[in-house]
Amino acid sequence: MADMRIYRVFGGIAMLLAIAIAVTVVIDLEPKKKMILFRVQFLLVFCLVLGAISRYVWINLTVLLPNRHSNSRVLVFTHWILYVVLATFLGLAFFSFVIGRMLISVEPYFINMLAFTCLGLLILIFFNLLVLSVVFGLLRMCSFRIPNPDKWKTIIATTFSLLLCIQGLTTAYKGPKIRRVTVPLSKLPASFDGTTVVQLSDIHLGPLVGLDTLERVVKMVSAMKPDIIVITGDLVDSTVANLKKVVFPLKKLRSKYGSYFVTGM
């Protein structure tokens, strides 16, 4: 019942935010002020959704904690250690974007990488729990009994999510890969046959990507000796003031016909 009351509160806040957004769309305001309102409302919606997800994951993960009323001191101590770890994990995930906005440097801070890793893991656990809830529900409808279904659902979802998270971190650590694609164009003038275009996209300089990564990307591009370089958006995740030193390696990009950039917005 307590959980239902909490989700009713979430629902009530969501309804108020929906009304506020609708009013913002309708009322006559300066574009700049309206944009500020939209950003504030988006932030509130994001926090509301993330809060609901965090609550759902918390309820499911606490099933795995040892009983804190046990007579064993080891089990009680383990309970509180895991309790603190779980609370820290959810706290870092919830405040990841705040941490990312506040802590920007030439190279990413460890706390940024940890917080966004927690956010990714939280979302993975949430969706895996949802999928397994449906699967376990169908098994129950088919009269297939599983002992301690809530515990097994959480164990499977958490294990699978951790494996996916490790795989993602490993891929990110290896850095970008070059993918070569031949694009046939029937009306392309013969003089442009064999023209090489390097496309860079979604670098996301900011809380998680810094100077060293960009320098590595620039060296990879330079080694290809392209005719044209295009940067097709999502280059930065912060302000110019924060990243003016980080983007410096882009000045080293060289190509036969120049480099071109769009913001992606």
Side-chain angles (χ1 to χ4, degrees), residues 87-115:
T88 304
F89 158 66
L90 292 174
L92 284 170
F94 188 83
F95 292 105
S96 55
F97 280 91
V98 176
I99 294 170
R101 293 288 293 180
M102 292 176 62
L103 300 177
I104 300 288
S105 185
V106 174
E107 295 298 336
Y109 289 103
F110 175 75
I111 188 68
N112 285 348
M113 294 185 285
L114 181 60

Side-chain angles (χ1 to χ4, degrees), residues 117-118 120-121 124 160-171:
T117 300
C118 289
L121 182 58
L124 283 172
F160 186 56
S161 299
L162 282 169
L163 290 174
L164 287 175
C165 189
I166 291 168
Q167 193 273 335
L169 290 171
T170 303
T171 302

